[in-house]
Amino acid sequence: MQLVLPSGLSAAAFDRALQQFRSIVGEDWVFATDHDRDSYLDHFGFDQAAHVGSAAVAPQTTEEVQAIVRIANEHKIPLWPISRGKNFGYGSAAPVMSGSIVLDMSRMKKIKMDIENGTVLLEPGVGFYDLFDYVEENDIPYWISPPGNAWGSVVGNALDRGVGYTPYGDHAARLCGMEVVLPDGDLVRTGMGAMTDSPSWNMHPYGFGPGWDQMFIQSNFGIVTKAGMWLMPKPETIVSLDMELDRADDLGWAIDTLAPMRRSGLLQQSPSIGNWLRAAAVLTNRTDWYDGLGALPDSVIDAIRAQFGLGWWSVNLRFYGYEEVTTAMAEKVKSIFASRTSYEMKQGIWRDGDPRELQPFAGVPITFPLQNASWHGGRGAHVGFSPALPQSGDAALAQFRRTFDRYNEFGMDYHGSFALAERHITNVNQVLFNKDDPDMVDRVDRFFRSLVNDASEQGYGEYRAHIEYMDLIADTYDFNNHALRRLNERIKDTLDPNGVLSPGKSGIWPANYQNERG
Amino acid sequence: MQLVLPSGLSAAAFDRALQQFRSIVGEDWVFATDHDRDSYLDHFGFDQAAHVGSAAVAPQTTEEVQAIVRIANEHKIPLWPISRGKNFGYGSAAPVMSGSIVLDMSRMKKIKMDIENGTVLLEPGVGFYDLFDYVEENDIPYWISPPGNAWGSVVGNALDRGVGYTPYGDHAARLCGMEVVLPDGDLVRTGMGAMTDSPSWNMHPYGFGPGWDQMFIQSNFGIVTKAGMWLMPKPETIVSLDMELDRADDLGWAIDTLAPMRRSGLLQQSPSIGNWLRAAAVLTNRTDWYDGLGALPDSVIDAIRAQFGLGWWSVNLRFYGYEEVTTAMAEKVKSIFASRTSYEMKQGIWRDGDPRELQPFAGVPITFPLQNASWHGGRGAHVGFSPALPQSGDAALAQFRRTFDRYNEFGMDYHGSFALAERHITNVNQVLFNKDDPDMVDRVDRFFRSLVNDASEQGYGEYRAHIEYMDLIADTYDFNNHALRRLNERIKDTLDPNGVLSPGKSGIWPANYQNERG
C-alpha cells in the first residue's frame, strides 16, 4: 500500500518522527515501505484500503514505548498499538484511522511466572504458543486458556475481551494488575502494582481506590506493556459430556437447562452451543458440498451433518478437578438432562498422565480452525458479530430465528454459536466470506448492518467489534443521549490531548479527530 | 457538633444551598442542627471532631441526586455521599473533610429483581436486611451474601470492597452495571446499561469499550444511584468442615494446605482463619477475663480458649451445591488435611428445608458481632487494618508474628484473621478500643501507623482504609513517584472541576483542596 498520512500531518514531520523512532529502536525496527504497510493490513477484512497504517515501529522495552509516545506527541502523530496483531475477524493489525503508525509490541516477550501462586506477568508480545511452551518446558503445574485460534497474544486477547473454553475462559476477568504507558508517556502500575515492589501486584485484583484494569480494555486510554494474569491449576481429571441436538429448536430448552447449572457453578466453564458449520467450515470447503448461490439448502445441511455425525447443534461440557468431584458433577448434569431429553450424552475422562487432547478445552493452543476462512474459496475473510443476550431459551431461540432468516435473506451460510457465560449468552456469529467476490463483500456489509440493527432493536449490544464497525456499534450504546461516549471522550481528551493513541478505537475519538467518526 | 464550613465557603452561600436543597427534597429531608450533625459522626472512630459534616440532605430519587449535585456545583460545596453510612471501622457516615454535606441515600430503597437470571438492581439505601426480607418474602430461589455485620447497605458495602462468606463473598466482583450521577450532574449507565433499555444491563459485566464499574468503587468520580448485583442460587446443601488449630504456628501449614484448594476451586468461598478473640470479644467483655494493663497474658488466652473450646486459630470451610458434589468436595478436602494433621475436622450438612443457620455463611444477615466494639468497656470503637498478602504460609506467619509483636508492644489484644481470597490473603485486624480512654486512643493511633509502616516495608498495601487514614494509606501506593495518584487526580479534576464530590476519598483530592491532604 502507498503511504497515507493522517490529516494535518506533513510528510516532513512524519519523516522526522520515523528518524527519531529509528534512534530509539534501531534502523531494523521501523517499517515504512509499501510492502511493510501491506503486512500490517487486515488480511481477513473486506475493505483493507480503508484502514492503512502509514508505518510501523517495533519497540522491545517499556522505556522504548514511552519514548515513542513522547515523539508521537511532539509531532501529533497517531499511534495504533498492537500486541501481535492477530485479532481475527476484528481487524488484525490494522488501525481504525488510516495514517496511524502501528506500534507493534510483538518483540516484547518477557514472561515472569510465580509458580507458587499461579500468576504470570506477561508482555504483550507473548503468544499463546509461547506461554504454552514456557509452562510445559518448565513443568509448571498450571494450564493456559487458549481461544479457538491461538496464534495471537495472550494479553492482546484479554484486552479485547477474548474468551477461551476452560473455567478461566473469561480472559479479561483473569487479568490482575497492569503496567501502562499513558498517552503522555507517563508510566502507571495498577492495583497493588501501584505500591513499589509489591509482591501482591498480580494477586489482589483491585489495590486501593478506583480499579483501573478494565479501563485499559477495549479502550485507547493507555498502552498496556505488562499485565498480570491468573493461570488455572492443572486439573487431576477432565470429565467430558458431549451431546448432539437434532433440531434447531432444541436450542431453547437446552439453554434453559444449562443456564441454571452455569449460574450455580455446577458448570465451571462456558459451554458453547454451535451449529454444524463449525466443523464443516474448518475441515472442508463449500464447493465440496454445493455450487449454488444463496444459503445452503437443507439437503446439504443434512449431508454435512451425516458426514460429521453432528446434530443441528453440538454441546460440549467439561468438568475440571479431582476425579471424585468431576465425576459427581457430570453425573448430576446427566441426571438433570435425562429428565428432559432422550438424546445421548457421551461421557469421557482424561486423567493427568494421559496424552493431552489437542483442544483449547485441554489448555492446548491450536490454529487449524483458522481454515474456516477459506470456506468460500478465494482469499478467505471473516467478520465477527457477537451480541450479548439474557440467558433465556426463548430469547436465544428468537435471536437464532431472526438471525438465521437474515443469513438466508443475504444468501450467507449460518455459522453461529451461543456461549453461556455466568449470567449472559454471547451469540458469536462468524461471518465467513470471499473477499475476491465483490458481490459477496457488498452483501456482507449490508448483512452485518442489518444484524446490528436487529440486535439493537432488542437491546442487545455487541461485546466486541471489527475496526470497520466500531462507530456503528458504539452508536447503539445510546443511553441518555450517549452519556457513556461523553464520559469516555472527556477522559480521552484529558489523558490524550493530542489524540495520539488509537483514535477511533471502540468509537472513542479525541477532540482533534472528531470529524473522522464514521 | 457546631457548624464547620469548608474553607472558602460563606455562611450565606451555605444557607442558600440548604434552602435550594429543601426545595428539591422537602423541608423534612435537610438536616442542619447540632444534633443532626452528631448523628452523622463516626461513632466508632477516635477523632470525631476531625470529620464533621456541616449538614445532610436525603434525596429519594436519582433526579433529586442530580439536582443536588448541580446546586453543589453552583456554590462549590463539597458533598459526601453515603449509602446507609454504616461503614464500621472505616468511618461510618462521616466525611474525610469537615464541612462536607452528607448526601444520605438511605431513603433510596428500590429493589428490582430478575428472578430468572438471579440479578438484582439495587438502590444504595437497600440494606442487607431489606434484601434478605425481599428475597424470603417473595420466595426467590437466590441467597444474599451478608458481611460479618449486616446493618449496612448492600451496594455501599460492595462499593467499599466489603466481603462476605459465601462463594459470592467478593462483593465488588459481583457488581454488574451501574447508574451513576457524575460530579457535574450528568447521568451515565455503565456496561450494557449504556444501551437504552438493554435487558442485559445486569448480566454482561463489561459492555463495549472501557469497563467503568470498578472506577466508581472506593473513588470520588461519581455517585452510584443504582447497581446491578448477582445473587447466589440457593444451594441444595451446605457441607461444613470446622477445625481448631492448637498452636499459633499452625497458621503457616494451614495456609499452604488451603491455598492450592482455593486456587483450584475445590474451595468455593474464602475461608477466614481467625483467632480466639473473635468469639470472646463478641460474647464477653475484657473485664470478664482480666483487669490488667497491656495485652492479655497467655494464661488468659488459655482460659478464653478453654471456655469457648477454641484453638489458637479456627478454620471454617463451607461447600455449596448438590449433595453429591459438596460431599465429594468435603471428602477430598478431609483426605488432603488428613495427610498433614491429626486435628479433627468436624463435618456437618445443611439440606434445603432444614432451619437456616443464623450465619453469613448461610446467607443470613446478623449484627451481633458488632458487640465486639464493647470489648474494652466505655464507648466502644474500632478501626480496621487490612493489608493484602501473597498466599504463602511463610509470608502469613511472618506477618502474624510481626503484627502480634506490635499488639504486645502497644498493649493491645490481638484480633486478626487471614482470609484466603482466590489468589491473595486479606489479613483483617479489628483494632478494638475504648474511646473514653485517652491513653488508649493515643496508643491506637501510633499502633496503627506502625502497622501500616511495617506492612508497606513488605510491599503489603491495605485494601481499604478508615477515613482518618486514607491519605496515609494512599501514600504507600508510591510507584513511579505516585503515578496512580497523578492519574486519579487528573481524572478527578476533569470530572469534578469544582471538587464537589467527596474530597479526600481514598486519598484523591481535587485541585481546590490539595492543601487539605493529610
Side-chain angles (χ1 to χ4, degrees):
Chain A
M1 286 279 179
Q2 289 198 312
L3 177 63
V4 181
L5 288 180
S7 64
L9 184 71
S10 71
F14 176 74
D15 289 339
R16 263 200 313 278
L18 292 194
Q19 212 42 54
Q20 288 172 280
F21 289 159
R22 287 187 187 100
S23 75
I24 301 295
V25 299
E27 295 282 337
D28 288 351
W29 302 107
V30 174
F31 308 98
T33 67
D34 288 359
H35 182 75
D36 289 334
R37 281 183 282 275
D38 285 353
S39 66
Y40 286 95
L41 295 173
D42 177 15
H43 298 285
F44 295 93
F46 51 93
D47 193 3
Q48 290 186 347
H51 305 281
V52 184
S54 53
V57 51
Q60 198 170 21
T61 67
T62 297
E63 292 71 23
E64 289 178 3
V65 173
Q66 291 179 274
I68 289 165
V69 166
R70 293 196 181 106
I71 292 164
N73 273 284
E74 189 184 318
H75 301 285
K76 299 190 171 38
I77 300 181
L79 300 171
W80 182 262
I82 60 169
S83 301
R84 290 169 51 84
K86 304 293 186 187
N87 202 4
F88 184 56
Y90 296 98
S92 306
V96 168
M97 191 174 85
S98 283
S100 304
I101 293 180
V102 177
L103 177 64
D104 179 348
M105 292 184 283
S106 59
R107 295 173 66 213
M108 297 174 65
K109 295 179 81 77
K110 284 201 209 72
I111 298 173
K112 191 174 163 191
M113 179 82 207
D114 175 337
I115 296 180
E116 185 175 8
N117 292 288
T119 65
V120 65
L121 188 66
L122 295 171
E123 289 189 338
V126 177
F128 287 96
Y129 282 93
D130 298 323
L131 185 57
F132 179 78
D133 289 347
Y134 178 88
V135 166
E136 295 303 309
E137 281 163 17
N138 293 283
D139 206 19
I140 291 169
Y142 285 89
W143 279 8
I144 72 169
S145 172
N149 287 309
W151 60 342
S153 154
V154 180
V155 171
N157 174 279
L159 293 180
D160 219 47
R161 300 204 180 98
V163 298
Y165 299 84
T166 74
Y168 280 49
D170 179 355
H171 297 160
R174 299 298 174 166
L175 287 165
C176 185
M178 296 176 177
E179 177 183 88
V180 182
V181 174
L182 295 178
D184 65 354
D186 201 0
L187 186 72
V188 69
R189 288 185 178 170
T190 65
M192 284 291 165
M195 176 173 271
T196 306
D197 295 330
S198 170
S200 318
W201 183 12
N202 308 124
M203 298 166 198
H204 184 273
Y206 308 118
F208 181 65
W212 274 94
D213 281 8
Q214 295 292 329
M215 287 289 281
F216 295 113
I217 292 183
Q218 287 192 3
S219 87
N220 49 16
F221 298 158
I223 302 171
V224 177
T225 48
K226 290 189 181 68
M229 291 199 76
W230 293 353
L231 301 187
M232 181 179 79
K234 181 171 77 167
E236 183 185 88
T237 64
I238 305 175
V239 171
S240 56
L241 291 179
D242 297 315
M243 184 168 55
E244 301 300 325
L245 306 179
D246 189 47
R247 299 167 310 128
D249 284 0
D250 288 330
L251 179 68
W253 67 261
I255 286 199
D256 286 334
T257 307
L258 290 165
M261 303 180 188
R262 186 73 184 98
R263 286 196 286 272
S264 75
L266 183 60
L267 298 178
Q268 305 156 307
Q269 43 86 250
S270 295
S272 168
I273 307 178
N275 80 319
W276 39 266
L277 190 52
R278 264 211 291 215
V282 169
L283 299 170
T284 60
N285 292 331
R286 192 178 204 263
T287 50
D288 297 337
W289 303 97
Y290 189 61
D291 280 325
L293 289 176
L296 295 177
D298 283 348
S299 58
V300 174
I301 295 173
D302 291 344
I304 288 173
R305 288 180 50 185
Q307 166 83 22
F308 296 107
L310 296 171
W312 217 100
W313 305 102
S314 305
V315 183
N316 310 106
L317 312 178
R318 295 292 182 274
F319 305 87
Y320 300 77
Y322 290 106
E323 183 163 352
E324 300 90 321
V325 178
T326 52
T327 306
M329 287 174 143
E331 290 302 323
K332 190 76 207 174
V333 169
K334 279 196 296 182
S335 77
I336 293 169
F337 266 99
S339 68
R340 307 203 184 177
T341 179
S342 56
Y343 292 146
E344 184 197 4
M345 290 200 112
K346 270 177 56 183
Q347 185 165 348
I349 185 164
W350 171 92
R351 292 183 181 87
D352 189 17
D354 291 349
R356 290 275 277 281
E357 206 183 352
L358 300 183
Q359 281 290 352
F361 279 134
V364 178
I366 57 174
T367 52
F368 66 83
L370 268 173
Q371 281 295 338
N372 69 3
S374 303
W375 172 245
H376 286 284
R379 286 179 304 156
H382 166 260
V383 61
F385 168 73
S386 310
L389 276 59
Q391 270 181 1
S392 139
D394 285 347
L397 207 47
Q399 173 71 6
F400 160 66
R401 287 183 184 136
R402 196 165 33 237
T403 308
F404 190 65
D405 287 349
R406 288 286 188 201
Y407 275 86
N408 286 329
E409 176 188 341
F410 286 93
M412 306 300 296
D413 299 331
Y414 185 76
H415 194 318
S417 64
F418 293 78
L420 278 100
E422 205 169 336
R423 298 283 162 139
H424 75 277
I425 295 171
T426 306
N427 170 218
V428 179
N429 290 266
Q430 296 202 33
V431 182
L432 306 174
F433 61 100
N434 169 6
K435 68 182 183 183
D436 289 327
D437 178 342
D439 169 68
M440 188 177 282
V441 168
D442 175 63
R443 273 186 292 139
V444 164
D445 181 61
R446 288 183 292 115
F447 172 52
F448 189 91
R449 290 172 189 276
S450 72
L451 291 177
V452 171
N453 190 56
D454 290 348
S456 69
E457 281 180 2
Q458 305 297 319
Y460 303 158
E462 277 69 53
Y463 89 97
R464 189 176 182 185
H466 188 278
I467 51 170
E468 178 67 20
Y469 296 116
M470 285 181 168
D471 286 325
L472 179 74
I473 302 304
D475 274 348
T476 66
Y477 287 80
D478 60 352
F479 174 76
N480 190 17
N481 193 23
H482 296 278
L484 188 65
R485 174 189 293 162
R486 279 197 299 281
L487 175 59
N488 284 334
E489 294 191 345
R490 279 169 77 177
I491 301 304
K492 180 64 179 169
D493 288 334
T494 300
L495 297 180
D496 189 8
N498 295 321
V500 299
L501 207 57
S502 305
K505 176 88 178 267
S506 296
I508 302 169
W509 290 93
N512 52 340
Y513 294 117
Q514 282 289 327
N515 60 340
E516 302 275 349
R517 195 190 307 276
Chain B
M1 285 282 179
Q2 290 198 310
L3 177 63
V4 181
L5 288 180
S7 63
L9 184 70
S10 72
F14 176 72
D15 289 340
R16 264 201 312 278
L18 292 193
Q19 213 42 54
Q20 288 172 281
F21 288 160
R22 288 188 186 98
S23 75
I24 301 295
V25 299
E27 295 282 336
D28 288 351
W29 301 109
V30 175
F31 308 98
T33 67
D34 288 358
H35 182 76
D36 289 334
R37 280 184 282 274
D38 285 353
S39 68
Y40 286 96
L41 295 174
D42 177 16
H43 298 283
F44 295 93
F46 51 93
D47 192 4
Q48 290 186 349
H51 306 279
V52 184
S54 54
V57 53
Q60 198 169 21
T61 67
T62 297
E63 292 72 22
E64 290 177 3
V65 173
Q66 291 180 273
I68 290 165
V69 166
R70 291 196 181 105
I71 293 164
N73 273 283
E74 190 183 316
H75 302 286
K76 298 191 171 42
I77 300 182
L79 300 171
W80 182 262
I82 60 169
S83 301
R84 292 169 49 85
K86 305 291 186 188
N87 203 3
F88 184 57
Y90 296 100
S92 307
V96 169
M97 192 174 85
S98 283
S100 304
I101 294 180
V102 177
L103 177 65
D104 178 349
M105 293 184 283
S106 59
R107 295 172 67 213
M108 298 175 64
K109 295 179 81 75
K110 285 202 209 71
I111 298 172
K112 192 174 165 193
M113 179 83 207
D114 176 336
I115 296 180
E116 185 174 9
N117 293 288
T119 65
V120 65
L121 188 65
L122 295 171
E123 289 190 339
V126 177
F128 287 96
Y129 282 92
D130 297 323
L131 185 57
F132 179 77
D133 289 348
Y134 178 88
V135 166
E136 295 302 309
E137 281 163 16
N138 293 284
D139 206 19
I140 291 169
Y142 286 87
W143 279 8
I144 71 169
S145 172
N149 286 309
W151 61 343
S153 154
V154 181
V155 171
N157 173 279
L159 293 180
D160 219 48
R161 300 204 180 98
V163 299
Y165 299 85
T166 73
Y168 280 48
D170 180 355
H171 298 159
R174 299 298 174 165
L175 287 165
C176 184
M178 296 176 178
E179 177 184 271
V180 181
V181 175
L182 296 178
D184 65 354
D186 201 1
L187 187 71
V188 69
R189 288 186 177 168
T190 64
M192 283 292 165
M195 176 173 272
T196 306
D197 295 329
S198 169
S200 318
W201 184 12
N202 308 124
M203 297 165 199
H204 184 271
Y206 309 116
F208 181 65
W212 274 94
D213 281 8
Q214 295 292 329
M215 288 289 281
F216 295 113
I217 292 183
Q218 288 192 1
S219 87
N220 50 15
F221 297 158
I223 303 171
V224 178
T225 48
K226 290 188 181 70
M229 291 199 76
W230 293 353
L231 300 186
M232 182 178 79
K234 181 170 77 167
E236 185 185 86
T237 64
I238 306 177
V239 171
S240 56
L241 290 178
D242 297 316
M243 184 167 55
E244 301 299 326
L245 306 180
D246 189 49
R247 300 168 308 129
D249 283 0
D250 287 332
L251 180 68
W253 68 260
I255 286 200
D256 286 333
T257 308
L258 290 165
M261 302 180 188
R262 186 71 185 99
R263 285 196 286 272
S264 75
L266 183 60
L267 298 179
Q268 304 156 307
Q269 43 87 249
S270 294
S272 166
I273 306 177
N275 79 317
W276 39 267
L277 189 53
R278 265 212 289 216
V282 169
L283 298 170
T284 61
N285 291 330
R286 192 178 204 265
T287 50
D288 298 337
W289 303 98
Y290 189 60
D291 281 323
L293 289 174
L296 296 177
D298 283 346
S299 58
V300 173
I301 295 174
D302 290 343
I304 288 173
R305 289 180 49 185
Q307 165 84 21
F308 296 106
L310 295 172
W312 217 101
W313 305 102
S314 305
V315 183
N316 310 106
L317 312 179
R318 295 292 182 273
F319 305 87
Y320 299 77
Y322 291 105
E323 184 164 350
E324 300 90 320
V325 178
T326 51
T327 306
M329 287 173 142
E331 290 301 324
K332 190 75 207 177
V333 169
K334 279 196 297 182
S335 77
I336 293 170
F337 266 99
S339 68
R340 307 203 185 177
T341 178
S342 55
Y343 292 146
E344 183 198 5
M345 289 200 114
K346 269 176 56 182
Q347 185 164 349
I349 185 163
W350 170 93
R351 293 184 181 85
D352 190 17
D354 292 349
R356 290 274 279 280
E357 206 182 352
L358 301 183
Q359 281 290 353
F361 279 135
V364 178
I366 57 173
T367 53
F368 66 83
L370 269 171
Q371 282 294 339
N372 69 4
S374 303
W375 172 244
H376 286 283
R379 287 179 302 157
H382 166 260
V383 62
F385 168 73
S386 310
L389 276 59
Q391 270 181 0
S392 140
D394 285 346
L397 207 47
Q399 173 71 6
F400 161 67
R401 287 182 184 138
R402 197 164 32 235
T403 308
F404 190 67
D405 287 347
R406 288 286 188 200
Y407 275 85
N408 286 329
E409 175 188 343
F410 286 92
M412 306 299 297
D413 299 331
Y414 184 76
H415 193 318
S417 64
F418 292 77
L420 280 99
E422 205 169 336
R423 298 285 161 138
H424 75 276
I425 295 171
T426 306
N427 170 216
V428 179
N429 290 266
Q430 296 201 35
V431 181
L432 306 174
F433 60 100
N434 170 5
K435 68 182 182 182
D436 289 327
D437 177 343
D439 169 67
M440 188 177 281
V441 168
D442 174 63
R443 271 186 292 140
V444 164
D445 181 60
R446 288 182 292 115
F447 172 51
F448 189 90
R449 291 174 190 275
S450 73
L451 291 177
V452 172
N453 189 57
D454 289 348
S456 70
E457 280 180 1
Q458 306 297 319
Y460 303 157
E462 277 70 53
Y463 90 97
R464 189 176 183 185
H466 188 279
I467 51 170
E468 178 68 21
Y469 296 115
M470 284 179 168
D471 286 325
L472 179 74
I473 303 304
D475 274 347
T476 66
Y477 287 79
D478 60 352
F479 174 76
N480 190 16
N481 194 22
H482 296 277
L484 188 65
R485 173 188 294 162
R486 279 197 298 282
L487 175 59
N488 284 333
E489 295 192 345
R490 279 169 78 177
I491 300 304
K492 178 64 178 167
D493 289 334
T494 301
L495 297 179
D496 188 8
N498 295 319
V500 298
L501 207 58
S502 305
K505 176 87 176 269
S506 297
I508 301 169
W509 290 94
N512 52 342
Y513 294 117
Q514 282 289 327
N515 60 339
E516 302 274 349
R517 193 189 307 278

